[in-house]
């Protein structure tokens, strides 16, 4: 039997905008879930997916990808690799496998809702494959993470994390619920597929994959690559949607969706990828800084796509975003190290003499700012005052990002507080942009309680361990310095000299 070429039947076969007879159109596609922008169905039907793929081809390709990634894994003795890995690389793996799989799992339902409520048949088709992609991403990352469970209990967080109220998890959940899960199919697809996936996943999956290869972690590198090969396809859902929005007079609405989600996702990637790239990746194997990766993948590639569509760079680009690329993750790294007991991974400081030199080269002025904070921490460690390196809980957190309120330290001291008073409650924000997002739609955000709010509201068990119990962290799960403070020793001789 001869088969038709895909191109001969594809467009016709996916024309599934049938006229419902048993329910009304409105019941089948409620605007608040499908399209609150009131764009005609005939317009959504123009959605033309850049990647046309059939189920048969999809399954075959995915199977080949899985065989590729899993065979690299079985060829390499992962546990032996892990045991001798640099403490920084261990911290990176622990953080990645606790923080990423559940976001992938969340994406499954985000795509499933696009499949159900999207108005364009082409969009629904692509989102169906996206749903399957994200199941694969969850499975492969949990599988690879779990392999280390016999040597390190931190990897239990690959599964445990989403069932806890650990502060990092609360921060991620707040951001990705906003972007992926609490809006209509059009808005969440623009925020997820365009801003999040096209804008940022390259950082964690391409850039980090290259770092992994240089660190000899071939199976982690292969895993990241196979995930990103799917992202590159289903991230394309965003562009046709934006084109339809723009040609139907909804440019301002589209721009706003991008502006909100770009910032929300940036904060997450800055803290996760930024700290991993500039601190946890062993210096000898580092090629680019976060800033260099952001410049290539975000400032050039993503901006090119944004402008080609007829949108502008977000309003806060020059004043807030670019300075943030130079600063935010340095401050977050300090916070994660000092409050290490509140994380499931064992962070490394990675600020020995050679690392500091690298940081100064990549971020001129680092020594005069964040370096000054590390001077104090180094001093405390050398003097044996380890308790001074663990400030009391809890730090102030941003009511939008859920991350520590921070600024620029040292000689360029620049710490500003932004707040909003609403119905007798004060909301604190780490930046003018976080505050701007809150004020756009206070009803969306005002009920959320940060970890600090929960503490103040008495929602945590009493006693000094109450916060840890609340976050699901038994004593043996709490992070400690991944280098046992040895990194500071290099400064002892200098001090003596
Ligand atoms: Mn994914
Ligand atoms: Mn994805």
């Amino acid at each position: 039997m001869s088969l038709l070429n895909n191109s001969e039947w594809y467009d016709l076969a996916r024309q599934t905008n049938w006229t419902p007879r048993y329910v009304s159109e409105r019941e089948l596609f409620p605007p608040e879930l499908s399209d609150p922008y009131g764009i005609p169905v005939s317009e959504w039907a123009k959605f033309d997916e850049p990647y046309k793929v059939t189920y048969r081809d999809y399954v075959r390709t995915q199977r080949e990808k899985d065989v590729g990634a899993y065979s690299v894994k079985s060829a390499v003795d992962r546990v032996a690799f892990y045991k001798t890995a640099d403490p920084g690389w261990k911290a990176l793996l622990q953080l990645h496998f606790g923080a990423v799989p559940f976001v992938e799992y969340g994406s499954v339902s985000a795509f499933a809702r696009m499949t159900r409520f999207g108005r364009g048949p082409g969009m629904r088709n692509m989102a169906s494959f996206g749903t399957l992609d994200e199941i694969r991403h969850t499975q492969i990352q949990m599988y690879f993470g779990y392999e280390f469970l016999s040597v390190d209990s931190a990897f239990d967080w690959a599964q445990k994390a989403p069932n806890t109220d650990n502060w990092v998890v609360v921060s991620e959940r707040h951001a990705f619920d906003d972007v992926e899960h609490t809006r209509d199919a059009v808005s969440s697809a623009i925020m997820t597929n365009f801003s999040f996936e096209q804008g940022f996943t390259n950082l964690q999956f391409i850039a980090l994959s290259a770092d992994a290869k240089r660190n000899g972690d071939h199976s982690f590198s292969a895993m990241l690559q196979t995930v990103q090969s799917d992202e590159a396809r289903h991230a394309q859902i965003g562009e046709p949607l934006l084109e339809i929005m723009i040609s139907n007079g909804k440019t301002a609405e589209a721009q706003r969706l991008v502006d909100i989600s770009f910032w929300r996702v940036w904060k997450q990637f800055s803290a996760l990828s930024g700290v991993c790239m500039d601190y946890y990746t062993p210096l000898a194997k580092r090629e680019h800084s976060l800033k260099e990766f952001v410049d290539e993948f975000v400032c050039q590639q993503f901006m090119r796509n944004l402008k080609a569509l007829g949108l502008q760079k977000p309003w806060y680009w020059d004043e807030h975003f670019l300075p943030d690329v130079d600063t935010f993750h340095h401050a977050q790294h300090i916070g994660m190290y000092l409050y290490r007991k509140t994380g499931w991974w064992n962070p490394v400081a990675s600020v020995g003499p050679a690392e500091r030199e690298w940081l100064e080269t990549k971020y001129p002025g680092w020594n005069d700012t964040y370096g000054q904070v590390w001077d104090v921490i180094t001093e405390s460690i050398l003097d044996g005052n380890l308790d001074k390196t663990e400030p009391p809980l809890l730090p102030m957190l941003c009511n939008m990002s859920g991350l520590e309120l921070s600024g620029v330290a040292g000689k360029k001291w620049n710490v500003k507080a932004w707040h909003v008073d609403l119905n007798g409650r004060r909301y604190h924000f780490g930046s003018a942009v976080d505050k701007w997002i809150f004020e756009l739609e206070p009803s969306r955000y005002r009920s959320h309680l940060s970890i600090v709010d929960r503490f103040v509201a008495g929602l945590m068990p009493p006693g000094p361990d109450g916060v840890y119990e609340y976050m699901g962290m038994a004593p043996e799960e709490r992070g400690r310095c991944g280098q046992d403070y040895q990194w500071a020793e290099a400064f002892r001789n200098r001090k003596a000299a």
Side-chain angles (χ1 to χ4, degrees):
M1 193 176 78
S2 68
L3 288 173
L4 290 173
N5 286 329
N6 292 344
S7 58
E8 293 174 86
W9 58 267
Y10 182 92
D11 286 339
L12 177 66
R14 67 129 163 82
Q15 289 311 317
T16 49
N17 268 359
W18 303 315
T19 309
R21 284 194 293 149
Y22 301 110
V23 292
S24 69
E25 189 81 25
R26 219 192 137 76
E27 284 173 292
L28 190 55
F29 292 107
E32 60 274 19
L33 287 166
S34 288
D35 167 27
Y37 304 104
I39 295 173
V41 184
S42 55
E43 288 294 303
W44 290 123
K46 291 179 185 168
F47 182 105
D48 191 26
E49 57 274 44
Y51 276 84
K52 289 187 167 49
V53 63
T54 65
Y55 184 70
R56 179 194 294 264
D57 291 339
Y58 174 82
V59 172
R60 188 174 53 230
T61 311
Q62 298 303 94
R63 185 178 176 283
E64 282 165 10
K65 287 189 201 170
D66 263 1
V67 168
Y70 283 88
S71 64
V72 172
K73 177 179 168 299
S74 60
V76 180
D77 186 348
R78 292 277 290 152
V79 172
F81 169 83
Y82 183 81
K83 280 182 179 163
T84 57
D86 182 277
W89 196 253
K90 284 183 177 159
L92 183 151
L93 292 173
Q94 293 160 358
L95 177 55
H96 176 97
F97 282 110
V100 176
F102 83 89
V103 179
E104 301 278 13
Y105 189 58
S107 295
V108 176
S109 76
F111 277 92
R113 275 182 295 102
M114 290 175 213
T115 304
R116 169 61 184 83
F117 294 107
R119 304 275 12 230
M123 174 188 179
R124 295 199 292 268
N125 207 32
M126 276 195 92
S128 307
F129 295 128
T131 311
L132 299 174
D133 290 342
E134 302 296 1
I135 292 173
R136 191 173 87 92
H137 301 173
T138 313
Q139 289 173 335
I140 195 169
Q141 299 198 57
M142 292 201 52
Y143 192 82
F144 276 56
Y146 251 47
E147 194 177 12
F148 301 134
L149 201 51
S150 62
V151 281
D152 198 327
S153 62
F155 293 94
D156 193 25
W157 284 71
Q159 179 161 331
K160 176 177 172 168
N163 302 312
T164 73
D165 281 319
N166 176 276
W167 70 274
V168 178
V169 176
V170 171
S171 162
E172 288 186 271
R173 212 185 269 145
H174 188 280
F176 292 109
D177 278 0
D178 193 10
V179 166
E180 293 195 275
H181 303 297
T182 54
R183 298 173 193 259
D184 61 280
V186 180
S187 306
S188 57
I190 288 172
M191 292 176 134
T192 301
N193 305 131
F194 189 69
S195 302
F196 171 20
E197 295 182 335
Q198 234 187 66
F200 289 102
T201 56
N202 281 335
L203 284 181
Q204 187 71 6
F205 291 95
I206 302 227
L208 192 57
S209 168
D211 281 347
K213 208 175 237 171
R214 265 193 305 281
N215 279 274
D217 196 345
H218 297 288
S219 66
F220 189 57
S221 173
M223 185 204 78
L224 295 169
Q225 267 178 30
T226 195
V227 168
Q228 189 60 18
S229 69
D230 294 346
E231 298 295 334
R233 170 172 31 75
H234 65 232
Q236 304 293 326
I237 292 176
E239 286 191 17
L241 289 179
L242 285 166
E243 283 166 8
I244 293 169
M245 290 276 284
I246 290 163
S247 64
N248 284 275
K250 303 292 175 192
T251 307
E253 288 86 345
Q255 181 79 49
R256 177 155 293 181
L257 292 170
V258 172
D259 290 1
I260 296 169
S261 49
F262 180 88
W263 187 260
R264 300 234 53 194
V265 176
W266 154 247
K267 284 286 160 184
Q268 292 294 316
F269 273 84
S270 175
L272 172 70
S273 310
V275 170
C276 286
M277 287 169 178
D278 287 352
Y279 293 94
Y280 295 175
T281 300
L283 179 64
K285 303 288 168 62
R286 262 180 234 164
E287 193 173 23
H288 295 299
S289 63
L290 170 77
K291 188 180 174 176
E292 287 160 340
F293 279 128
V294 167
D295 186 52
E296 179 185 344
F297 288 121
V298 182
C299 299
Q300 294 182 43
Q301 279 184 25
F302 183 63
M303 276 310 109
R304 213 166 28 235
N305 298 342
L306 189 76
K307 286 185 179 151
L309 286 162
L311 293 174
Q312 308 296 317
K313 60 186 182 186
W315 64 266
Y316 47 76
W317 192 265
D318 297 321
E319 196 186 339
H320 300 286
F321 173 66
L322 293 180
D324 221 50
V325 176
D326 271 321
T327 54
F328 188 68
H329 68 296
H330 299 304
Q332 295 302 310
H333 172 56
I334 294 172
M336 288 180 193
Y337 184 78
L338 295 179
Y339 294 102
R340 51 199 173 274
K341 279 186 185 162
T342 66
W344 60 84
W345 68 101
N346 298 325
V348 293
S350 206
V351 286
E355 282 90 354
R356 289 182 67 135
E357 213 167 284
W358 183 88
L359 286 159
E360 183 64 34
T361 313
K362 299 295 181 182
Y363 301 91
W366 186 93
N367 274 310
D368 278 343
T369 52
Y370 302 102
Q372 294 208 330
V373 181
W374 285 108
D375 289 343
V376 177
I377 299 170
T378 309
E379 191 85 20
S380 298
I381 292 172
L382 293 179
D383 293 345
N385 294 323
L386 293 181
D387 56 314
K388 282 195 184 163
T389 71
E390 293 183 76
L393 298 175
L394 291 153
M396 290 287 287
L397 300 176
C398 172
N399 271 112
M400 184 56 64
S401 72
L403 299 169
E404 195 181 349
L405 294 184
S406 61
V408 181
K411 288 185 188 160
K412 294 183 192 159
W413 177 259
N414 178 17
V415 179
K416 265 191 214 129
W418 285 269
H419 67 262
V420 170
D421 290 316
L422 185 71
N423 300 336
R425 189 177 152 193
R426 175 159 287 193
Y427 298 83
H428 297 274
F429 300 100
S431 74
V433 187
D434 291 294
K435 176 173 180 274
W436 170 75
I437 294 172
F438 182 91
E439 289 184 308
L440 284 176
E441 207 182 337
S443 62
R444 168 178 288 273
Y445 304 107
R446 70 182 171 216
S447 305
H448 177 74
L449 297 176
S450 74
I451 288 286
V452 177
D453 297 327
R454 297 173 201 202
F455 180 77
V456 173
L459 297 177
M460 296 182 185
D465 269 12
V467 180
Y468 296 104
E469 283 172 41
Y470 182 81
M471 294 196 295
M473 307 196 71
E476 61 276 13
E477 289 175 282
R478 299 171 200 167
R480 49 194 157 67
C481 174
Q483 295 161 311
D484 273 331
Y485 309 105
Q486 288 307 306
W487 61 270
E489 288 305 317
F491 295 97
R492 196 182 297 279
N493 302 337
R494 294 196 164 196
K495 214 177 142 192

